[in-house]
Amino acid sequence: MKMKAMSMTFNQKGDDDYFIRLLSYLRSQFRETIVEMVPYRKSVILIRTEKGSYMLKGFHTNKRLRLQEAFTSTLRKEGFLKTYLFVHPEIKEPLFFEGTYFGCMEYITPNKIPFSFQSQKNRQEGLELLEQFHQVTSSFESRYRTLIPKGAIIEKWRDRGKTFTSNISTLKYFISDKILEEMIGWAKWSLSGMDNNRSLYLNEPFCILHGDVAHHNFLRDANGVLNLIDFDLISIGPACLDYLQYANRILPSLDWSFERLARYSQYEELLKKKAFVYALAYPADIFREWNRLIREGSYRDHQKYKQIMELTIGQFYSRKKFIEGLKVITN
């Protein structure tokens, strides 16, 4: 069994034991002979057999697995081809191992050059792919309204801010009082403006939102085609919610420039709407990462700590200048 380096979130010895047991189980279920197993995470595993390659993905419930199978199938039928399908190789029974249901997906061979938001070409292509995704899902979102949640960004961010504030005594060990006060002030100003202009989030046409437009969910294949993957966080709502998250992801690569963001056609109209401009000020990424770090207690992970401090302190003054510009625009 070929093992890749696993995330430090897990106990290494325990992981080895788990994957040895899992491999034994999979060999008993697959009619095809397994020749290689490469774990990426505990619930994402590459399986190579004599006949082909598959990605196994784990789900806590069979219901969630079936929803993902149905959604990706609908995407493909409605014309969105740049993603994976769930497949059904010859196995003896549905895959269920130690409390996890495993779905089997097509393996997309990745390009030698990984997708990154640091590239202008990638940022533009990612936006265009996301736009295609929204166009296709807007045609069938009504079928999924009873199956997936509605995107409620104001409520979600208000809860995230409350958790961040409740962690203030721990945060003070890492971040100065002045910077903490400033960031909490950004959040309050942003939410207040979003609340007062919430019609954008209620009256815009709905589609199915991806919900996690991080760089690792854009996968360029070996032929250079860009794919959108991982639909675990799909919800119903206006496309602007995905564009908002995408903006938050690419702004560091744009040196926190409103002008550079406005050059993308997908943002041309959105940046004229106050609700969207107010939302750009919310430090959703900072709050999310600190809340996770404290919840998991992973302060001693040097790599994680370095990344979160760069996000919080390294970009602080660029972000502050950007938000001051947003305040001028909304006045």
Side-chain angles (χ1 to χ4, degrees):
M1 177 173 63
K2 180 180 175 182
M3 298 289 289
K4 283 196 172 184
M6 299 301 295
S7 167
M8 293 297 289
T9 305
F10 305 113
N11 177 275
Q12 189 63 48
K13 179 63 168 65
D15 281 351
D16 285 347
D17 291 344
Y18 173 82
F19 288 117
I20 289 168
R21 295 195 306 275
L22 177 59
L23 177 60
S24 177
Y25 168 74
L26 293 174
R27 281 177 169 162
S28 73
Q29 298 303 305
F30 272 73
R31 298 188 189 280
E32 302 174 21
T33 301
I34 296 175
V35 295
E36 188 178 31
M37 173 175 165
V38 185
Y40 288 89
R41 296 193 299 276
K42 198 165 186 177
S43 61
V44 180
I45 298 143
L46 169 61
I47 294 290
R48 297 189 192 278
T49 73
E50 292 178 333
K51 293 185 179 180
S53 298
Y54 311 99
M55 290 300 297
L56 294 187
K57 184 167 182 178
F59 296 87
H60 293 305
T61 67
N62 191 45
K63 183 180 178 181
R64 290 186 67 85
L65 168 57
R66 299 303 169 216
L67 173 63
Q68 290 294 309
E69 288 182 336
F71 179 70
T72 52
S73 177
T74 306
L75 270 180
R76 187 69 65 93
K77 287 174 183 175
E78 295 295 333
F80 189 83
L81 308 180
K82 296 176 181 178
T83 191
Y84 50 72
L85 269 181
F86 282 81
V87 293
H88 299 278
E90 287 190 53
I91 53 177
K92 295 178 183 177
E93 58 186 54
L95 298 174
F96 179 72
F97 179 75
E98 295 189 6
T100 300
Y101 294 88
F102 282 94
C104 197
M105 303 179 298
E106 295 172 327
Y107 176 63
I108 300 174
T109 305
N111 199 280
K112 291 180 180 179
I113 303 173
F115 181 91
S116 164
F117 287 139
Q118 294 177 354
S119 156
Q120 161 63 16
K121 177 182 181 294
N122 283 350
R123 291 192 296 267
Q124 182 62 55
E125 201 172 344
L127 266 177
E128 290 169 0
L129 183 61
L130 192 57
E131 187 173 21
Q132 292 169 24
F133 174 77
H134 292 150
Q135 287 170 351
V136 171
T137 62
S138 66
S139 69
F140 66 82
E141 58 86 14
S142 60
R143 295 182 232 165
Y144 282 82
R145 286 182 188 174
T146 60
L147 301 174
I148 59 178
K150 191 174 178 181
I153 191 170
I154 295 175
E155 293 74 13
K156 176 183 175 181
W157 280 2
R158 187 171 282 125
D159 288 343
R160 187 176 293 181
K162 285 179 181 177
T163 302
F164 184 82
T165 304
S166 72
N167 290 325
I168 205 82
S169 58
T170 303
L171 290 163
K172 286 184 175 185
Y173 284 105
F174 306 100
I175 310 169
S176 72
D177 289 350
K178 183 180 178 182
I179 289 179
L180 280 171
E181 185 180 338
E182 187 97 44
M183 291 191 301
I184 291 170
W186 296 341
K188 288 179 179 177
W189 179 82
S190 174
L191 284 177
S192 175
M194 291 170 71
D195 218 1
N196 293 333
N197 297 275
R198 63 165 57 224
S199 61
L200 173 67
Y201 310 115
L202 300 175
N203 300 332
E204 290 288 301
F206 279 9
C207 62
I208 295 179
L209 303 168
H210 183 277
D212 188 12
V213 292
H215 69 91
H216 52 78
N217 286 330
F218 292 87
L219 176 63
R220 194 177 299 284
D221 69 22
N223 296 320
V225 176
L226 189 62
N227 293 266
L228 187 61
I229 63 172
D230 195 350
F231 304 103
D232 288 356
L233 299 181
I234 52 174
S235 62
I236 303 283
C240 67
L241 298 187
D242 267 349
Y243 289 131
L244 179 58
Q245 191 184 92
Y246 196 93
N248 196 250
R249 299 282 186 175
I250 68 173
L251 274 165
S253 298
L254 301 177
D255 299 320
W256 289 92
S257 168
F258 185 91
E259 291 72 24
R260 289 178 67 183
L261 182 65
R263 292 174 194 165
Y264 295 97
S265 61
Q266 289 83 359
Y267 290 104
E268 193 173 340
E269 290 303 313
L270 285 173
L271 293 177
K272 296 175 184 176
K273 299 178 179 180
K274 280 191 173 183
F276 192 82
V277 174
Y278 274 109
L280 287 172
Y282 195 86
D285 51 347
I286 294 174
F287 286 9
R288 179 188 65 241
E289 295 306 317
W290 277 109
N291 289 347
R292 180 184 296 155
L293 189 82
I294 291 171
R295 183 176 67 249
E296 295 175 354
S298 49
Y299 318 106
R300 293 183 180 84
D301 186 325
H302 178 71
Q303 188 62 31
K304 285 185 180 179
Y305 179 75
K306 183 180 177 182
Q307 289 173 349
I308 200 169
M309 291 304 286
E310 167 58 26
L311 185 68
T312 310
I313 309 301
Q315 299 178 23
F316 176 76
Y317 291 103
S318 297
R319 194 187 294 239
K320 181 179 179 180
K321 183 179 177 181
F322 173 74
I323 293 172
E324 286 171 351
L326 299 182
K327 290 181 178 179
V328 171
I329 293 168
T330 53
N331 282 340

